[in-house]
Amino acid sequence: MTRIPDAVSVASLDTHRLIVAVPNEGPAEISCNLPRTVAADVLRQLADNLDSPAGRCATAILTGRPCPVHDAPSRPRGITSPSRIPFVNVDGSTPVQHPANNDDRRPTMPLDPSDVRGALDFNAGRADQVLASLRDVLLDTETPREPEHALAAARILLEAHARQIAALVEAEHDATHTRWGLSRSTRGLLTGYSSARKAVTAYADGLADEQALAEGAAGK
């Protein structure tokens, strides 16, 4: 006997951008008011999330994209598999693998500058790369951090933001010069743009120098 559902949900393109219906029999049906390339990208993201455990943290759920921290390739400094933790024998022999339990698990490595730079690289090409990267770093609450780790993240993100602003000021300078040329009436405005760009760039350079010094001191 055919099962009769308790309730039927009705969806339309008035309330949804993409609807995929897979009946028990017959071909799947797709209704969409997105561009074909965008719809294909959404479906690929869904397939990737179903195919692997990636994309389950707060960042991925919020954005619908893999997280640059949790879904990035594992780095040598972390534990790559939560199910097996390496231990070194006392006599220095080859490490053996032991099943992990809640008491044996080592703490997650703290936030590293490479994590923050990795978030910036991951979000390159977005409308606001720095804003998206700041969101990802703030949402990564599973990674422990001390004041010095948070300060390093702030320096790196603020440096990138300052260079973003400097580029915008430079673009305004060039657009003004192209449209109006250099004249008595535009000279002061163009000079102001140049001065502002230099000041913001100097601020970004200062942050980069401070971070380089901090990383050098930490490496000693």
Side-chain angles (χ1 to χ4, degrees):
M1 184 177 72
T2 303
R3 186 180 68 86
I4 300 175
D6 296 331
V8 176
S9 298
V10 178
S12 72
L13 292 180
D14 292 332
T15 57
H16 295 71
R17 303 297 301 276
L18 176 65
I19 302 171
V20 179
V22 183
N24 291 331
E25 297 180 0
E29 298 181 2
I30 299 179
S31 300
C32 178
N33 58 12
L34 291 169
R36 292 177 63 87
T37 55
V38 176
D41 185 58
V42 171
L43 292 173
R44 277 191 292 270
Q45 290 179 26
L46 293 174
D48 290 341
N49 289 342
L50 291 173
D51 190 49
S52 71
R56 294 178 181 174
C57 70
T59 299
I61 293 173
L62 178 66
T63 64
R65 296 172 60 87
C67 171
V69 176
H70 298 104
D71 301 334
S74 59
R75 305 203 316 272
R77 70 184 185 89
I79 300 300
T80 57
S81 175
S83 61
R84 300 181 70 85
I85 294 179
F87 290 86
V88 179
N89 293 334
V90 176
D91 60 3
S93 59
T94 303
V96 296
Q97 300 290 332
H98 299 280
N101 56 49
N102 292 333
D103 296 331
D104 293 334
R105 294 191 179 185
R106 297 179 181 178
T108 306
M109 297 300 292
L111 184 68
D112 188 85
S114 62
D115 296 327
V116 185
R117 296 188 179 103
L120 286 168
D121 292 340
F122 180 84
N123 290 305
R126 285 180 174 269
D128 196 323
Q129 174 195 23
V130 179
L131 183 63
S133 300
L134 175 61
R135 174 206 61 204
D136 295 338
V137 172
L138 292 177
L139 284 173
D140 180 25
T141 57
E142 297 178 3
T143 303
R145 61 202 67 182
E146 298 296 333
E148 63 269 21
H149 304 135
L151 184 58
R155 288 195 195 101
I156 294 169
L157 291 172
L158 285 175
E159 178 203 345
H161 185 52
R163 298 197 189 283
Q164 205 175 42
I165 294 174
L168 291 174
V169 174
E170 181 69 14
E172 286 295 321
H173 173 280
D174 293 344
T176 300
H177 187 275
T178 299
R179 183 175 182 181
W180 304 108
L182 179 62
S183 64
R184 181 177 300 178
S185 60
T186 62
R187 186 183 302 275
L189 179 60
L190 294 174
T191 300
Y193 279 138
S194 296
S195 298
R197 179 186 58 79
K198 291 177 182 177
V200 176
T201 300
Y203 173 69
D205 291 340
L207 289 171
D209 291 341
E210 290 178 13
Q211 182 58 27
L213 289 173
E215 291 183 32
K220 293 181 180 180

